[in-house]
């Protein structure tokens, strides 16, 4: 299948608050092949979302958004469906590192399953320094990061306008990072992912469990960069956790949003 479209948004920012609205339109083709026969649906997705961001203090930021999706089938025999979408997040930005918790309900077509899906998810993540192996705690060499998440995906039936079945995904990830020099970084990461099966889907969803151990090594020569543009995106309204251009040296890389 394929999904093509576009959107437009408008934002307004104050000292501690920011609001935004966004709307979009997508044309979606979902195709399924059974033997020599190809079946599928065509639809228009109309989306609208409003978001409010608020800085709760010097280190905490909250985000709340809500909206909806209107699915207009082009094919005969299918119903127009309206589904709400909403979410919220709480982010923590200390002097070094980040942490956050987010929950969300989203509606989107899954091109691999050739069905529309409703996904409820919750994700917690953190990236924080460790005090060992460094002389200056403002420039930590050892850090730990991790994330844990759960999502339940329901398959939407446009013929009845209801959900048919669902499958779950559980994932956990933890990593230990060591940066002895500015141009050398090593990381040891473990990931666990488990997905339940769903035999009622139009295309079978297989269940599986996977454990992965990864080691990464990054080295750069020469050590000094001719120029560097750090990450500038952040949930904070006042952008106080964003490092100004030209002040990257001597700053903990965790001061930028991840």
């Amino acid at each position: 299948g394929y999904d093509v479209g576009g959107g437009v948004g408008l934002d307004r920012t104050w000292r501690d608050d920011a609001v935004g609205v966004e709307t979009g339109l997508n044309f979606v083709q979902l195709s399924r092949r059974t033997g020599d026969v190809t079946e599928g649906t065509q639809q228009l997705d109309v989306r609208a979302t409003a978001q409010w961001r608020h800085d709760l203090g010097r280190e905490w930021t909250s985000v709340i958004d809500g909206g909806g999706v209107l699915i207009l089938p082009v094919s005969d025999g299918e119903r127009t469906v309206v589904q709400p979408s909403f979410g919220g997040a709480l982010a923590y930005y200390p002097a070094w590192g980040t942490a956050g918790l987010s929950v969300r309900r989203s509606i989107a077509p899954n091109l691999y399953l050739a069905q529309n899906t409703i996904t409820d998810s919750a994700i917690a993540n953190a990236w924080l320094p460790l005090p060992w192996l460094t002389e200056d705690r403002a420039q930590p060499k050892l850090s730990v990061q991790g994330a844990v998440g759960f999502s339940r995906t329901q398959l939407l039936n446009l013929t009845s306008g209801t959900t048919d079945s669902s499958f779950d995904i559980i994932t956990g990830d933890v990593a230990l990072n060591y940066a002895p020099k500015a141009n050398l970084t090593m990381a040891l990461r473990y990931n666990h992912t488990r997905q339940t099966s769903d035999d009622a889907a139009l295309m079978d969803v297989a269940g599986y469990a996977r454990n992965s151990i990864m080691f990464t090594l990054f080295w750069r020569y020469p050590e000094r960069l001719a120029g560097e543009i750090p990450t500038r995106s952040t949930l904070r309204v006042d952008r106080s956790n964003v490092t100004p251009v030209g002040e990257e040296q001597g700053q903990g890389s965790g001061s930028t949003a991840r």
Side-chain angles (χ1 to χ4, degrees):
Y2 57 86
D3 183 351
V4 60
V8 62
L10 179 66
D11 294 283
R12 177 69 168 90
T13 302
W14 291 270
R15 179 178 179 180
D16 298 318
D17 297 274
V19 295
V21 293
E22 183 179 358
T23 184
L25 175 66
N26 288 59
F27 176 78
V28 181
Q29 167 76 49
L30 301 175
S31 301
R32 296 177 297 274
R33 182 182 296 274
T34 304
D36 296 331
V37 179
T38 300
E39 300 178 346
T41 61
Q42 295 180 340
Q43 65 188 52
L44 292 175
D45 290 359
V46 183
R47 305 171 183 273
T49 304
Q51 183 188 81
W52 172 44
R53 290 185 293 145
H54 175 64
D55 290 341
L56 301 172
R58 297 184 61 182
E59 298 179 339
W60 292 91
T61 297
S62 62
V63 181
I64 298 176
D65 63 75
V69 178
L70 172 65
I71 302 176
L72 297 170
V74 179
S75 309
D76 295 331
E78 296 179 331
R79 298 185 180 184
T80 298
V81 176
V82 179
Q83 285 287 335
S85 62
F86 50 85
L90 185 64
Y92 176 55
Y93 295 102
W96 203 104
T98 61
L101 172 67
S102 64
V103 294
R104 178 163 302 280
R105 162 167 282 210
S106 59
I107 296 89
N110 187 310
L111 301 184
Y112 296 103
L113 299 179
Q115 285 187 258
N116 293 280
T117 61
I118 303 174
T119 301
D120 299 299
S121 62
I123 301 174
N125 64 84
W127 182 41
L128 301 172
L130 297 176
W132 307 291
L133 304 180
T134 183
E135 296 179 358
D136 184 1
R137 291 196 175 188
Q139 301 182 45
K141 296 181 179 180
L142 197 64
S143 64
V144 62
Q145 64 185 107
V148 60
F150 171 82
S151 67
R152 168 162 293 176
T153 299
Q154 302 178 75
L155 304 179
L156 188 59
N157 188 328
L158 295 186
T159 303
S160 62
T162 60
T163 55
D164 285 336
S165 56
S166 65
F167 60 92
D168 300 333
I169 298 177
I170 301 172
T171 183
D173 186 279
V174 62
L176 182 65
N177 308 304
Y178 178 52
K181 297 181 179 180
N183 66 329
L184 178 62
T185 302
M186 294 173 282
L188 182 64
R189 181 185 301 272
Y190 167 74
N191 174 271
H192 173 78
T193 301
R194 181 180 297 272
Q195 176 177 291
T196 62
S197 62
D198 185 1
D199 297 332
L202 296 179
M203 297 180 65
D204 289 345
V205 178
Y208 68 90
R210 181 182 63 199
N211 294 282
S212 304
I213 299 177
M214 295 161 281
F215 175 77
T216 58
L217 174 66
F218 172 80
W219 178 69
R220 181 184 66 245
Y221 179 83
E223 179 177 349
R224 183 179 182 275
L225 284 175
E228 180 179 6
I229 301 177
T231 304
R232 298 301 179 198
S233 61
T234 177
L235 291 178
R236 284 197 62 84
V237 179
D238 62 11
R239 301 181 62 81
S240 61
N241 62 311
V242 174
T243 304
V245 174
E247 297 185 10
E248 291 80 18
Q249 298 299 325
Q251 299 288 337
S253 60
S255 61
T256 58
R258 294 283 173 173

